[in-house]
């Protein structure tokens, strides 16, 4: 009977598949089609297919501002004490900064060991401008939105976080009279989460299209000369994810790391193909709350903040690339230079926007910090999308690792949900 229905309705096999399996199948099929299109010289077709991916990314981005604001207001109104919110904030920032510095160090070590720039001899002619780090004081004041509506219109996540926190606090402080507002936000949150579910159901098609485009556009000939730097960045991201996040989840959060990695598959693949941690945010929030059992009171704060300032993959990439550029231009770096790169890449990654190619723009700041030639940026630009895929994935997985650890330390992880294999499925679009 089962066999008969399988033969009769192959489409139902697809619709009944768990979302992460659909996404994984889409990734592989997209890769295969992209390679085939590239080998047969049909790059333009890959460009056309990309439109489906662009539509998917636009649809998730559409949710970012309302989702961050509404879920964080709900998160705030569910945390009764202000002190607890402060504690969560301090833990989150400490985690984000600590793991980022670690990531650059891994990047530097891999750059030194694998020597990706050793065979590439280049001479600088000084044409690219460095991006300067914004002054710290200005950065802090900039978090306060003088106009919350324009913060929302610009999609400025830090300003939205700031406004949502004080708005949620004010609802708490206003007491009984504000109960209808609180109820309104809870209802709105349910609607937006439903909306997110609907959009996320299209993830397999978006992933398929974006993967086809990347594989179709980048031929092997283009990747080979810089193969070692690609290897170094991918290997570094893998080591950081497995060793650093795996240990944090296992030994600090005392949770099963295998379950953790299973639970982050959907945002990992969506970020891999979209190369935007800000754009992946709705998928990350859905995975953290559903698959990993993290309560909204923590996830609604740590994840938007992480998508904005926590970029371990970007920092790692900047470390590897700085060493690559030094090797390619025959510059010897001192111990002090390495320390400067760690500090500069940590800061640069905080300032990097969670958008495709954001890290490449900030790379000039890291190179300039130790006087490396900025032409390095132009060389990396040719293959940056490929590197961006790995680093964005690490950025997003890092946000999830932090969220799990902070939530666990606050007793805000639903262990049954965490230990249950995947719950995210394509939603049934009926009511209820
Ligand atoms: N694309 C990355 C992200 O969105 C940022 C980067 O380019 O490093 O997380």
């Amino acid at each position: 009977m089962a066999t008969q229905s399988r033969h009769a309705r192959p489409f139902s096999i697809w619709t009944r598949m768990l979302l992460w399996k659909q996404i994984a199948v889409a990734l592989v099929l997209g890769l295969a089609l992209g390679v085939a299109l590239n080998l047969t010289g049909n790059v333009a077709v890959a460009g056309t297919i990309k439109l489906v991916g662009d539509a998917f990314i636009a649809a998730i981005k559409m949710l970012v501002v309302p989702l961050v604001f509404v879920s964080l207001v709900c998160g705030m109104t569910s945390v009764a004490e202000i002190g607890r919110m402060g504690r969560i904030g301090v833990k989150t920032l400490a985690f984000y900064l600590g793991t980022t510095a670690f990531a650059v160090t891994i990047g530097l070590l891999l750059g030194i060991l694998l020597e990706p720039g050793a065979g590439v001899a280049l001479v600088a002619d000084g044409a690219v401008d460095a991006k300067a780090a914004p002054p710290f004081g200005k950065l802090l004041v900039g978090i306060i939105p003088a106009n919350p509506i324009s913060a929302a219109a610009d999609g400025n996540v830090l300003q939205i976080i700031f406004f949502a926190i004080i708005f949620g606090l004010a609802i708490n402080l206003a007491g009984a009279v504000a109960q209808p507002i609180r109820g309104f936000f809870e209802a709105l949150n349910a609607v937006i989460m439903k909306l997110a579910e609907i959009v996320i159901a299209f993830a397999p098609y978006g992933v398929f299209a974006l993967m086809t485009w990347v594989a179709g556009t980048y031929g092997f000939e283009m990747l080979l000369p810089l193969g070692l730097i690609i290897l170094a960045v991918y290997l570094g991201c893998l080591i950081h994810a497995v060793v650093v996040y795996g240990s944090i989840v296992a030994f600090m959060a005392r949770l099963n790391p295998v379950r953790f990695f299973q639970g982050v598959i959907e945002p990992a693949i969506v970020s891999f193909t979209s190369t935007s941690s800000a754009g992946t945010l709705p998928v990350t929030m859905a995975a953290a709350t559903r698959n990993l059992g993290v309560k909204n009171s923590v996830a609604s704060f740590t994840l938007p903040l992480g998508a904005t300032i926590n970029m371990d993959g970007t920092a790692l990439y900047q470390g590897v690339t700085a060493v690559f550029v030094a090797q390619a231009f025959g510059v010897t770096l001192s111990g002090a230079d390495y320390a400067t790169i760690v500090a500069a890449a940590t800061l640069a990654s905080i300032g990097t926007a969670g958008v495709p190619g954001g890290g490449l723009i900030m790379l000039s700041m890291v190179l300039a910090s130790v006087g490396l030639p900025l032409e390095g940026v132009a060389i990396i630009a040719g293959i940056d999308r490929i590197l961006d895929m790995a680093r964005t994935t690490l950025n997003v997985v890092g946000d999830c690792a932090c969220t799990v650890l902070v939530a666990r330390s606050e007793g805000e992880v639903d262990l049954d949900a965490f230990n249950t294999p995947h719950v995210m499925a394509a939603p049934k679009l009926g009511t209820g």
Side-chain angles (χ1 to χ4, degrees):
M1 237 165 36
T3 335
Q4 196 190 9
S5 73
R6 208 173 292 148
H7 283 296
R9 294 160 57 197
F11 186 65
S12 74
I13 299 176
W14 173 252
T15 52
R16 277 198 309 239
M17 223 183 237
L18 281 172
L19 188 66
W20 78 268
K21 287 188 183 160
Q22 288 185 341
I23 294 178
V25 169
L27 185 79
V28 175
L29 290 180
L31 180 67
L33 179 64
V35 170
L37 289 176
N38 185 274
L39 293 177
T40 53
N42 286 307
V43 177
V45 179
T48 310
I49 293 177
K50 180 176 180 262
L51 289 176
V52 176
D54 290 344
F56 168 65
I57 299 301
I60 9 181
K61 277 198 189 150
M62 162 183 91
L63 300 172
V64 171
V65 172
L67 183 69
V68 170
F69 182 65
V70 175
S71 71
L72 189 48
V73 169
C74 285
M76 286 305 298
T77 55
S78 64
V79 180
E81 332 108 66
I82 299 180
R84 180 152 166 259
M85 204 55 217
R87 211 168 56 222
I88 292 177
V90 170
K91 284 183 199 171
T92 306
L93 287 177
F95 178 105
Y96 283 160
L97 275 177
T99 50
T100 304
F102 216 93
V104 198
T105 313
I106 293 183
L108 289 176
L109 287 176
L110 279 172
I112 294 167
L113 289 176
L114 294 178
E115 300 196 329
V120 192
L122 298 167
V123 184
D125 68 10
V128 186
D129 285 336
K131 177 135 173 61
F136 189 62
K138 210 172 155 208
L139 213 73
L140 279 186
V141 176
I143 291 177
I144 304 172
N147 178 347
I149 305 292
S150 74
D154 297 343
N156 186 327
V157 175
L158 283 184
Q159 293 190 340
I160 297 170
I161 289 176
F162 181 88
F163 190 67
I165 289 178
I166 52 164
F167 192 81
L169 274 179
I171 293 179
N172 285 349
L173 295 174
V177 71
Q179 281 310 308
I181 300 277
R182 188 181 169 164
F184 169 78
F185 270 91
E186 270 161 21
L188 193 56
N189 196 31
V191 174
I192 291 175
M193 284 313 286
K194 195 71 193 170
L195 203 55
E197 236 179 64
I198 295 169
V199 172
I200 291 169
F202 291 95
Y205 311 101
V207 164
F208 170 77
L210 291 171
M211 199 62 218
T212 304
W213 169 68
V214 177
T217 318
Y218 289 84
F220 287 115
E221 330 77 66
M222 195 162 167
L223 304 182
L224 277 182
L226 295 172
L228 259 185
I229 186 150
I230 297 175
L231 178 77
V233 170
Y234 273 69
L235 192 66
C237 288
L238 192 70
I239 293 174
H240 193 73
V242 174
V243 178
V244 179
Y245 301 150
S247 311
I248 285 172
V249 171
F251 303 119
M252 292 174 74
R254 295 179 322 285
L255 291 167
N256 183 346
V258 176
R259 280 271 177 271
F260 169 76
F261 288 115
Q262 283 174 340
V264 298
I265 288 180
E266 291 99 346
I269 298 182
V270 171
S271 55
F272 183 74
T273 45
S274 71
T275 66
S276 170
S277 41
T280 310
L281 190 54
V283 187
T284 319
M285 289 177 78
T289 47
R290 307 246 178 110
N291 297 344
L292 301 176
V294 175
K295 302 271 170 63
N296 183 51
S297 59
V298 173
S300 65
F301 171 70
T302 54
L303 290 175
L305 188 67
T308 315
I309 66 162
N310 182 45
M311 310 248 169
D312 290 2
T314 303
L316 189 148
Y317 144 90
Q318 286 167 343
V320 175
T321 316
V323 177
F324 163 81
V325 173
Q327 289 163 350
F329 286 96
V331 178
T332 313
L333 295 172
S334 66
D337 287 337
Y338 285 118
T340 308
I341 293 173
V342 172
T346 304
L347 289 177
S349 72
I350 293 173
T352 299
V355 297
L360 180 72
I361 297 169
M362 297 305 277
L363 180 62
S364 59
M365 182 189 132
V366 179
L367 298 182
S369 73
V370 285
L372 284 170
L374 299 179
E375 286 88 337
V377 176
I379 300 162
I380 296 297
I383 51 152
D384 195 60
R385 177 84 189 192
I386 306 292
L387 304 177
D388 205 356
M389 294 167 88
R391 65 181 192 253
T392 309
T393 309
L394 191 70
N395 291 345
V396 166
V397 175
D399 298 340
C400 293
C402 168
T403 299
V404 164
L405 178 65
V406 172
R408 178 79 164 137
S409 72
E410 293 288 322
E412 295 284 303
V413 177
D414 175 347
L415 291 178
D416 286 339
F418 185 94
N419 290 317
T420 309
H422 270 81
V423 290
M424 255 168 94
K428 307 277 166 281
L429 298 183
T431 49

Short mmCIF file of all heavy atoms in Angstrom, two decimals, residues 271 274-280 306-307 310-311 313-315 317-318 349 352-361 384 387-389 391-393 395-396 399, ligand 1:
data_model
loop_
_atom_site.label_atom_id
_atom_site.label_comp_id
_atom_site.label_asym_id
_atom_site.label_seq_id
_atom_site.Cartn_x
_atom_site.Cartn_y
_atom_site.Cartn_z
N SER A 271 21.69 30.56 5.00
CA SER A 271 22.74 31.59 5.04
C SER A 271 23.86 31.25 4.06
O SER A 271 24.47 32.14 3.47
CB SER A 271 23.29 31.75 6.46
OG SER A 271 23.74 30.51 6.95
N SER A 274 22.34 32.40 0.74
CA SER A 274 21.95 33.82 0.63
C SER A 274 23.10 34.76 0.96
O SER A 274 23.07 35.92 0.57
CB SER A 274 20.78 34.11 1.58
OG SER A 274 21.24 34.10 2.92
N THR A 275 24.11 34.28 1.67
CA THR A 275 25.23 35.09 2.18
C THR A 275 24.77 36.36 2.90
O THR A 275 25.42 37.39 2.80
CB THR A 275 26.27 35.45 1.08
OG1 THR A 275 25.65 36.31 0.13
CG2 THR A 275 26.84 34.24 0.39
N SER A 276 23.69 36.25 3.63
CA SER A 276 23.28 37.39 4.45
C SER A 276 22.75 36.90 5.79
O SER A 276 21.72 36.23 5.85
CB SER A 276 22.20 38.20 3.74
OG SER A 276 21.65 39.15 4.62
N SER A 277 23.48 37.23 6.88
CA SER A 277 22.98 36.77 8.18
C SER A 277 21.77 37.59 8.60
O SER A 277 20.88 37.08 9.27
CB SER A 277 24.08 36.77 9.24
OG SER A 277 24.88 37.89 9.15
N ALA A 278 21.73 38.88 8.19
CA ALA A 278 20.55 39.69 8.53
C ALA A 278 19.33 39.15 7.78
O ALA A 278 18.24 39.04 8.34
CB ALA A 278 20.79 41.15 8.18
N GLY A 279 19.54 38.79 6.52
CA GLY A 279 18.42 38.28 5.72
C GLY A 279 17.94 36.92 6.19
O GLY A 279 16.78 36.57 6.00
N THR A 280 18.85 36.15 6.82
CA THR A 280 18.47 34.81 7.28
C THR A 280 17.76 34.85 8.63
O THR A 280 17.21 33.85 9.08
CB THR A 280 19.74 33.92 7.38
OG1 THR A 280 20.47 34.02 6.16
CG2 THR A 280 19.42 32.45 7.61
N GLY A 306 23.04 39.35 17.44
CA GLY A 306 24.09 38.54 16.82
C GLY A 306 24.18 38.76 15.32
O GLY A 306 25.26 38.90 14.76
N ALA A 307 23.01 38.85 14.67
CA ALA A 307 23.02 39.03 13.21
C ALA A 307 23.62 40.38 12.84
O ALA A 307 24.06 40.60 11.72
CB ALA A 307 21.59 38.93 12.67
N ASN A 310 27.68 39.99 15.65
CA ASN A 310 28.52 38.80 15.87
C ASN A 310 28.85 38.11 14.56
O ASN A 310 27.98 37.48 13.95
CB ASN A 310 27.80 37.81 16.79
CG ASN A 310 28.65 36.60 17.08
OD1 ASN A 310 29.84 36.72 17.38
ND2 ASN A 310 28.09 35.41 16.96
N MET A 311 30.08 38.25 14.11
CA MET A 311 30.45 37.70 12.80
C MET A 311 31.78 36.96 12.93
O MET A 311 32.83 37.46 12.53
CB MET A 311 30.62 38.83 11.79
CG MET A 311 29.46 39.77 11.75
SD MET A 311 28.56 39.66 10.22
CE MET A 311 27.12 40.60 10.60
N GLY A 313 32.65 34.22 11.41
CA GLY A 313 33.11 33.78 10.10
C GLY A 313 33.82 34.93 9.38
O GLY A 313 34.87 34.75 8.76
N THR A 314 33.25 36.12 9.50
CA THR A 314 33.84 37.29 8.86
C THR A 314 35.22 37.58 9.46
O THR A 314 36.19 37.85 8.75
CB THR A 314 32.90 38.50 9.04
OG1 THR A 314 31.64 38.15 8.49
CG2 THR A 314 33.44 39.75 8.39
N ALA A 315 35.31 37.51 10.79
CA ALA A 315 36.59 37.78 11.46
C ALA A 315 37.64 36.75 11.05
O ALA A 315 38.80 37.08 10.78
CB ALA A 315 36.38 37.77 12.97
N TYR A 317 37.74 35.01 8.31
CA TYR A 317 38.09 35.27 6.90
C TYR A 317 39.06 36.45 6.80
O TYR A 317 40.01 36.43 6.02
CB TYR A 317 36.78 35.50 6.15
CG TYR A 317 36.76 36.53 5.06
CD1 TYR A 317 37.05 36.17 3.74
CD2 TYR A 317 36.40 37.85 5.32
CE1 TYR A 317 36.99 37.13 2.72
CE2 TYR A 317 36.34 38.79 4.31
CZ TYR A 317 36.64 38.43 3.01
OH TYR A 317 36.57 39.36 2.02
N GLN A 318 38.81 37.47 7.63
CA GLN A 318 39.69 38.63 7.56
C GLN A 318 41.09 38.27 8.06
O GLN A 318 42.09 38.77 7.54
CB GLN A 318 39.09 39.80 8.36
CG GLN A 318 37.92 40.41 7.59
CD GLN A 318 37.06 41.35 8.39
OE1 GLN A 318 37.10 41.35 9.62
NE2 GLN A 318 36.25 42.15 7.71
N SER A 349 34.62 43.11 12.23
CA SER A 349 33.51 42.17 12.07
C SER A 349 32.26 42.69 12.79
O SER A 349 31.14 42.49 12.33
CB SER A 349 33.89 40.77 12.56
OG SER A 349 33.97 40.76 13.96
N THR A 352 30.70 45.09 10.51
CA THR A 352 30.28 44.57 9.20
C THR A 352 28.77 44.41 9.15
O THR A 352 28.17 43.88 10.09
CB THR A 352 30.94 43.19 8.95
OG1 THR A 352 32.36 43.36 8.94
CG2 THR A 352 30.50 42.60 7.61
N ALA A 353 28.18 44.85 8.06
CA ALA A 353 26.73 44.66 7.90
C ALA A 353 26.47 43.21 7.50
O ALA A 353 27.27 42.63 6.75
CB ALA A 353 26.21 45.60 6.83
N GLY A 354 25.38 42.64 8.01
CA GLY A 354 25.08 41.24 7.69
C GLY A 354 24.47 41.07 6.32
O GLY A 354 23.40 40.48 6.16
N VAL A 355 25.14 41.63 5.33
CA VAL A 355 24.64 41.58 3.94
C VAL A 355 25.71 40.94 3.06
O VAL A 355 26.87 40.87 3.46
CB VAL A 355 24.32 42.99 3.42
CG1 VAL A 355 23.22 43.63 4.24
CG2 VAL A 355 25.57 43.88 3.43
N PRO A 356 25.34 40.48 1.86
CA PRO A 356 26.35 39.86 1.00
C PRO A 356 27.53 40.82 0.76
O PRO A 356 27.34 41.99 0.44
CB PRO A 356 25.59 39.60 -0.31
CG PRO A 356 24.17 39.47 0.11
CD PRO A 356 24.00 40.40 1.27
N GLY A 357 28.73 40.31 0.96
CA GLY A 357 29.93 41.11 0.69
C GLY A 357 30.27 42.15 1.73
O GLY A 357 31.23 42.90 1.58
N GLY A 358 29.51 42.22 2.84
CA GLY A 358 29.79 43.22 3.88
C GLY A 358 31.21 43.11 4.41
O GLY A 358 31.88 44.11 4.66
N GLY A 359 31.69 41.88 4.58
CA GLY A 359 33.02 41.65 5.15
C GLY A 359 34.13 42.10 4.22
O GLY A 359 35.21 42.50 4.67
N LEU A 360 33.89 42.05 2.93
CA LEU A 360 34.92 42.45 1.96
C LEU A 360 35.18 43.96 2.09
O LEU A 360 36.32 44.41 2.02
CB LEU A 360 34.46 42.12 0.54
CG LEU A 360 35.44 42.48 -0.56
CD1 LEU A 360 36.62 41.54 -0.54
CD2 LEU A 360 34.78 42.44 -1.94
N ILE A 361 34.10 44.71 2.33
CA ILE A 361 34.25 46.16 2.46
C ILE A 361 35.10 46.49 3.70
O ILE A 361 35.99 47.34 3.65
CB ILE A 361 32.86 46.83 2.57
CG1 ILE A 361 32.07 46.56 1.29
CG2 ILE A 361 32.97 48.31 2.85
CD1 ILE A 361 30.60 46.93 1.36
N ASP A 384 34.95 36.41 -3.79
CA ASP A 384 34.41 36.70 -2.46
C ASP A 384 33.09 35.99 -2.16
O ASP A 384 32.83 35.61 -1.02
CB ASP A 384 34.24 38.20 -2.25
CG ASP A 384 34.05 38.50 -0.78
OD1 ASP A 384 34.96 38.17 0.00
OD2 ASP A 384 32.98 39.01 -0.40
N LEU A 387 33.73 32.67 -0.60
CA LEU A 387 34.19 32.78 0.79
C LEU A 387 33.04 33.26 1.68
O LEU A 387 32.92 32.84 2.84
CB LEU A 387 35.36 33.77 0.88
CG LEU A 387 36.57 33.47 -0.01
CD1 LEU A 387 37.63 34.56 0.13
CD2 LEU A 387 37.18 32.11 0.36
N ASP A 388 32.20 34.14 1.12
CA ASP A 388 31.09 34.69 1.88
C ASP A 388 30.12 33.59 2.32
O ASP A 388 29.53 33.63 3.41
CB ASP A 388 30.36 35.72 1.00
CG ASP A 388 29.61 36.77 1.82
OD1 ASP A 388 29.60 36.64 3.05
OD2 ASP A 388 29.04 37.71 1.22
N MET A 389 29.95 32.58 1.47
CA MET A 389 29.02 31.49 1.80
C MET A 389 29.45 30.80 3.09
O MET A 389 28.64 30.57 3.99
CB MET A 389 28.97 30.48 0.65
CG MET A 389 28.37 31.08 -0.62
SD MET A 389 28.64 30.07 -2.06
CE MET A 389 27.24 28.99 -1.97
N ARG A 391 31.61 31.98 5.44
CA ARG A 391 31.70 32.83 6.64
C ARG A 391 30.31 33.22 7.15
O ARG A 391 30.10 33.30 8.37
CB ARG A 391 32.59 34.04 6.40
CG ARG A 391 32.11 35.04 5.36
CD ARG A 391 33.13 36.18 5.21
NE ARG A 391 32.59 37.27 4.44
CZ ARG A 391 32.94 37.57 3.19
NH1 ARG A 391 33.84 36.85 2.58
NH2 ARG A 391 32.41 38.59 2.56
N THR A 392 29.36 33.43 6.24
CA THR A 392 28.01 33.80 6.70
C THR A 392 27.39 32.63 7.48
O THR A 392 26.72 32.82 8.49
CB THR A 392 27.11 34.19 5.52
OG1 THR A 392 27.79 35.17 4.75
CG2 THR A 392 25.79 34.74 5.97
N THR A 393 27.65 31.40 7.00
CA THR A 393 27.11 30.23 7.70
C THR A 393 27.67 30.18 9.12
O THR A 393 26.94 29.96 10.09
CB THR A 393 27.49 28.94 6.95
OG1 THR A 393 27.13 29.10 5.58
CG2 THR A 393 26.79 27.72 7.52
N ASN A 395 28.80 32.69 10.83
CA ASN A 395 28.21 33.81 11.57
C ASN A 395 26.87 33.40 12.20
O ASN A 395 26.61 33.66 13.38
CB ASN A 395 27.95 35.01 10.64
CG ASN A 395 29.25 35.66 10.16
OD1 ASN A 395 30.31 35.42 10.72
ND2 ASN A 395 29.16 36.46 9.11
N VAL A 396 26.05 32.76 11.40
CA VAL A 396 24.70 32.41 11.85
C VAL A 396 24.73 31.27 12.88
O VAL A 396 24.04 31.31 13.90
CB VAL A 396 23.83 32.05 10.62
CG1 VAL A 396 22.55 31.38 11.02
CG2 VAL A 396 23.52 33.31 9.82
N ASP A 399 25.68 32.67 16.18
CA ASP A 399 24.57 33.34 16.89
C ASP A 399 23.71 32.31 17.61
O ASP A 399 23.27 32.53 18.74
CB ASP A 399 23.68 34.11 15.89
CG ASP A 399 24.44 35.20 15.16
OD1 ASP A 399 25.50 35.61 15.66
OD2 ASP A 399 23.98 35.62 14.09
N1 LIG B 1 27.78 38.21 4.39
C1 LIG B 1 28.15 38.23 5.76
C2 LIG B 1 26.92 38.13 6.63
O1 LIG B 1 25.85 38.53 6.23
C3 LIG B 1 28.96 39.40 6.14
C4 LIG B 1 30.27 39.31 5.40
O2 LIG B 1 30.32 39.66 4.22
O3 LIG B 1 31.25 38.87 6.01
O4 LIG B 1 26.98 37.65 7.73
#
